[in-house]
Amino acid sequence: MILKGGITIANNTILNPKVSIVLATYFPSEIFLIKQLTSLEHQTYENIEVLICDDSADDVQFFKIQDLAQRCITKFSVTLLRNKMNIGSNKTFERLTKEAKGDFICYCDQDDIWLPEKVETLLRLAIDNDSKLVYSDLSLINENDLMIHRSFKKSNFRLKHVYGENTFSHLVSRNSVSGCAMLIDSEIAKASIPFPEKRIYVHDHWLAICAAVKGKIAYSRKPLVLYRIHAGNQIGESRLKSIHNLNDYIKARLLDQIDRIDYLEKKLSLSKNNQILAKQFSSLIQSRLHLLKNKKMTVTFLKTFKSDPVLFLFEVAIWIMGEKCFCIILERLRK
């Protein structure tokens, strides 16, 4: 159970680890930011510090955020930083990670709403399961706080939330950890610096991989965040936005994936098993590239069906129908 002084574990020892909530802002909606900050103020766990870094590079925005933070958060200490120039969300969260003094770090967006027990629940999971990173499901809401879907996982049939000892094999290919729903051991987070450029890995995917390499990941099926879908948020953006033809698809879905594998192999100390997994995934990407560029199917490509049958069927359809039909499908998907 959670007590005022901390967390009581099995032998009645009371633990009171500090949790750093790090919030990156960029020209935020005042209404949404007030709701997000208020939800932080209502957290049931008490040993929290809040760090906010504004990436707007705009005086008016900075002083507005400063005023809102002072009005909305009185229970916890608040540190407000600003970037002299816009550096993007990955590098802003990197700066916040450096500044965080907590034993654990929670990453926070500027427009969501956290359930009051979010930090408490994730921290308990981390301690009980001796996990390097824990995360939860999300509920989806719209601009008016109306529920779109109670479970992000159930709303997306391709999404697989992985947890336990051997999560690298999944995370090397695709992410399942939303940054706003995670709590991570600060030593792992700080060791993952520098964060890669966003084209390579978004910060949450990179942190999840770094945690998976070092130990266990735990998961709460209970949604602990109301994630807001609206025109301006990043994860809510269409993944097809930058894809207009087959070459765009190959770059975004294949060539960038190859760059990701190269990056993590250079930056992380992988076990022999994880090295093998990374090379197997790299071979799989090469086989998909061979199919779409050279119009030749290999035995290796057939393994795609086991890992992602929807992707397999989609790329086989591209191979059979050609680029013209591919572009027609893209336009219909955008609608």
Side-chain angles (χ1 to χ4, degrees):
M1 60 190 243
I2 303 289
L3 300 176
K4 185 173 182 180
I7 296 178
T8 301
I9 57 177
N11 61 1
N12 290 324
T13 301
I14 295 178
L15 301 178
N16 192 35
K18 175 171 281 196
V19 176
S20 299
I21 297 176
V22 298
L23 166 60
T25 58
Y26 178 75
F27 289 95
S29 157
E30 184 171 336
I31 294 172
F32 295 164
L33 183 58
I34 287 172
K35 291 178 179 180
Q36 176 69 89
L37 293 172
T38 302
S39 74
L40 303 187
E41 172 75 359
H42 291 159
Q43 289 302 299
T44 55
Y45 187 70
E46 294 192 347
N47 192 10
I48 286 174
E49 66 166 0
V50 178
L51 293 88
I52 303 170
C53 185
D54 182 45
D55 193 37
S56 307
D58 180 274
D59 288 342
V60 173
Q61 290 297 316
F62 176 77
F63 290 117
K64 180 180 78 171
I65 293 163
Q66 183 180 59
D67 177 63
L68 292 178
Q70 290 172 348
R71 285 197 283 126
C72 294
I73 300 180
T74 60
K75 193 164 69 172
F76 308 120
S77 68
V78 178
T79 301
L80 188 60
L81 310 169
R82 64 189 302 187
N83 295 332
K84 293 180 180 179
M85 58 183 293
N86 173 247
I87 60 175
S89 58
N90 265 29
K91 289 302 176 182
T92 299
F93 277 124
E94 178 185 298
R95 182 182 180 189
L96 284 163
T97 302
K98 290 178 183 177
E99 297 288 340
K101 297 179 176 63
D103 302 291
F104 294 90
I105 299 175
C106 284
Y107 292 84
C108 183
D109 296 335
Q110 64 186 17
D111 45 18
D112 301 328
I113 299 173
W114 289 12
L115 271 61
E117 68 272 21
K118 181 198 174 208
V119 172
E120 173 185 321
T121 302
L122 294 182
L123 187 57
R124 163 60 72 186
L125 268 174
I127 292 171
D128 286 351
N129 293 278
D130 190 25
S131 298
K132 302 300 183 183
L133 180 150
V134 296
Y135 69 109
S136 74
D137 195 359
L138 310 166
S139 293
L140 307 180
I141 60 173
N142 67 10
E143 295 180 350
N144 300 312
D145 298 350
L146 297 177
M147 188 73 68
I148 299 171
H149 209 294
R150 294 194 179 278
S151 168
F152 181 43
K153 184 179 186 302
K154 291 179 181 179
S155 73
N156 185 345
F157 73 96
R158 291 185 67 208
L159 178 64
K160 183 178 180 182
H161 281 159
V162 295
Y163 53 93
E165 295 276 5
N166 301 306
T167 54
F168 179 82
S169 60
H170 177 82
L171 292 169
V172 71
S173 62
R174 59 194 307 182
N175 192 23
S176 66
V177 179
S178 298
C180 62
M182 76 157 69
L183 175 144
I184 186 171
D185 184 317
S186 63
E187 289 187 6
I188 299 293
K190 289 177 183 291
S192 71
I193 294 171
F195 290 0
E197 60 178 293
K198 191 176 175 182
R199 179 185 70 83
I200 302 296
Y201 286 108
V202 179
H203 73 282
D204 51 13
H205 193 182
W206 177 242
L207 288 165
I209 287 174
C210 292
V213 167
K214 295 294 185 180
K216 288 193 293 186
I217 289 178
Y219 172 66
S220 168
R221 289 183 175 84
K222 178 182 178 181
L224 296 172
V225 177
L226 304 181
Y227 175 75
R228 192 181 302 280
I229 301 293
H230 62 92
N233 61 348
Q234 290 190 5
I235 302 177
E237 288 178 330
S238 171
R239 295 180 180 274
L240 300 174
K241 188 176 180 180
S242 63
I243 299 175
H244 303 283
N245 53 51
L246 185 56
N247 284 334
D248 290 342
Y249 179 86
I250 287 172
K251 183 182 184 308
R253 293 291 183 267
L254 301 175
L255 298 180
D256 284 356
Q257 290 253 32
I258 292 171
D259 288 345
R260 290 185 191 112
I261 298 299
D262 290 344
Y263 185 89
L264 72 84
E265 286 181 326
K266 290 174 183 176
K267 296 294 183 179
L268 300 181
S269 178
L270 300 177
S271 67
K272 286 187 177 180
N273 185 56
N274 286 341
Q275 288 176 27
I276 292 169
L277 289 170
K279 291 189 183 306
Q280 286 176 342
F281 181 60
S282 182
S283 296
L284 200 60
I285 299 168
Q286 293 289 351
S287 73
R288 293 168 57 201
L289 190 61
H290 196 60
L291 178 81
L292 297 180
K293 288 193 75 172
N294 301 325
K295 307 301 181 185
K296 293 182 180 180
M297 184 181 292
T298 64
V299 173
T300 302
F301 175 77
L302 298 176
K303 296 177 182 178
T304 306
F305 184 79
K306 182 179 179 181
S307 60
D308 194 335
V310 174
L311 178 66
F312 174 86
L313 293 173
F314 179 66
E315 293 188 348
V316 167
I318 297 172
W319 175 54
I320 294 171
M321 295 186 299
E323 183 166 1
K324 186 176 180 179
C325 290
F326 170 71
C327 292
I328 293 172
I329 292 171
L330 277 182
E331 288 305 314
R332 289 187 178 178
L333 288 173
R334 286 196 181 92
K335 296 175 182 178

